[in-house]
Amino acid sequence: MSKTLKTAVIGAALAAFTALPMVASADSSGTIKIPTHNWSSQLVGAEVVGELFKMVGEEIEYVPMDSQTVYQAMADGDIDIVHEVWEGAFGASFTKSLETGNVIDLLTHDAVTREDWWYPEYIEEVCPGLPDWKALDKCSDMFARADSGGKGVFIGGPVDWLKHDAEKVEALGMNFVVRNAGSAGAIWAELDAAAAQKKPVVIFNWSPNFIGAKYAGKFVEFPTHDPKCTSDASWGVNPNALYDCGNPATGYLKIGVNKDFEKNHPKAFKVAQQMNFSGPDIDKMANYVDTDGLEVPEAAQQWLNDHESKWKEWIK
Ligand code: TMO
C-alpha cells in the first residue's frame, strides 16, 4: 500500500471511530476531557493543564467546544475541567451548572478579570470626557461606518461569549450598533487597521490579555456592575431594562470540575487543586501567540519553561 493510501485508510478508520456516540462521563480508566475555546490564553492554558496532567500519568483529550455550552457538558460528565471560568462572560452559565450539583467550584485564580468595551488611548484626543460611556455616546458619529446608518459601530466578540452588548446599547439608549466579530483574531484585525491610521474604534477586550502591551487603551466606564443589573429590570439608570451597567470590573477567574473528577482522576485532581494562574500568567499565554506568533503547543511549552518553579509545586 502506498504511504498516502495507508494514511487515507487510517484517516477513514479514525473518522469512523470518532463518529461513534460519545459515552457520557469520564470513568477512571478513561481520559480527562479538557475543552478548548476561541481565545489564545485559554488555548495555551488548556495545553499547560494537559501537560501537567500527563506528568502525573493521566491521559488527556482536547475537545473543541462552545464556551457557554461547556458548562452543561461539565455537569453531564462529558467535560472534566474548565480552567478559565471568566466571571463576566461565563459567571451565569457556571452558576447554573453549580446548581445541578454535578459541578464543583474548585478554586479562584489570583488573576482578576475584566471584560468590556475598550478603546485605544489616542481617541481621547478627539473625544473629550472618556472613559465615561456618556462621552463615548456623544462621539458616536466618529465610530460610524458607511453602512451603519449614522450609528457608531461597536466591535463585539464572538456570539458565544454572550456579552449582552445589544441589550446594553438599548437599555442605555446609546447611538451604537453591535457587530460581532467571528473570532478573537477578527477583533485584533479591526484594532490594528484602525490604529494604523489613528482612526476611532471601540472593541470588546478583556484583561488579562496581551493587548495592553501592544496598545495603550482603556475600558469604557459604564454604570458600575451590580448583580441586580442582570436580574432586576427596576435596578439602575433604566428602570425598565436589564443590562444598564458595565460588566464586573474586578471579576473572578475560576476553575470548575465535574463532581466525579476527584474519584475518577485523583492524581489530576490534586494537581488541579494546586493550580493558580496570575494576571501576568494569562497575559503571557496570550502574548506568546498573539504577539510573538507561536503555535499553541509551543506557547504552552514556553510558559512551562519560564515558570518551572511555579508548576513544580503543583505536581509534587
Ligand atoms: C471570554 N473572554 C475571556 C474572551 O472574554
Side-chain angles (χ1 to χ4, degrees), residues 39 84 86 89-90 115 161 204 206:
W39 66 96
E84 261 198 27
W86 290 66
F90 312 121
E115 304 158 81
W161 299 351
F204 179 73
W206 57 94

Side-chain angles (χ1 to χ4, degrees), residues 181-196:
S183 65
I187 305 177
W188 315 139
E190 290 276 357
L191 175 60
D192 286 337

Side-chain angles (χ1 to χ4, degrees), residues 34-48 81-84 86 282 285-286 296:
I34 304 171
T36 56
H37 302 309
N38 50 2
W39 66 96
S40 299
S41 69
Q42 196 279 338
L43 292 164
V44 175
E47 191 86 15
V48 166
I81 181 167
V82 176
H83 77 277
E84 261 198 27
W86 290 66
I282 301 294
M285 288 179 192
V296 167

Side-chain angles (χ1 to χ4, degrees), residues 105-280:
D105 177 351
L106 188 66
L107 60 84
T108 303
H109 295 282
D110 278 351
V112 173
T113 63
R114 185 167 188 183
E115 304 158 81
D116 223 321
W117 295 32
W118 182 99
Y119 60 88
E121 221 163 58
Y122 59 77
I123 295 171
E124 293 186 348
E125 291 162 26
V126 290
C127 180
L130 286 174
D132 189 74
W133 69 274
K134 289 188 202 122
L136 179 77
D137 197 39
K138 277 202 190 115
C139 300
S140 63
D141 294 6
M142 286 179 205
F143 299 87
R145 301 195 181 183
D147 57 354
S148 68
K151 295 188 177 212
V153 171
F154 165 68
I155 306 295
V159 286
D160 63 311
W161 299 351
L162 214 73
K163 302 310 302 180
H164 303 287
D165 294 305
E167 290 97 324
K168 180 148 90 183
V169 163
E170 172 94 30
L172 294 173
M174 296 175 78
N175 188 42
F176 270 85
V177 289
V178 177
R179 300 250 163 103
N180 288 103
S183 65
I187 305 177
W188 315 139
E190 290 276 357
L191 175 60
D192 286 337
Q197 302 178 49
K198 276 203 159 191
K199 275 213 220 145
V201 69
V202 57
I203 61 168
F204 179 73
N205 199 353
W206 57 94
S207 171
N209 193 4
F210 76 99
I211 208 83
K214 192 166 177 188
Y215 300 109
K218 285 186 192 151
F219 285 106
V220 175
E221 297 295 343
F222 289 101
T224 303
H225 180 85
D226 185 286
K228 285 202 201 84
C229 175
T230 55
S231 62
D232 175 0
S234 69
W235 180 93
V237 296
N238 182 337
N240 302 308
L242 301 176
Y243 303 110
D244 47 347
C245 66
N247 292 316
T250 55
Y252 64 65
L253 187 72
K254 283 180 179 287
I255 295 181
V257 296
N258 176 269
K259 74 164 185 343
D260 295 327
F261 189 53
E262 179 172 18
K263 187 176 76 199
N264 293 337
H265 305 281
K267 286 179 288 182
F269 182 78
K270 268 200 158 156
V271 176
Q273 273 183 313
Q274 306 302 318
M275 282 182 202
N276 184 358
F277 292 136
S278 66

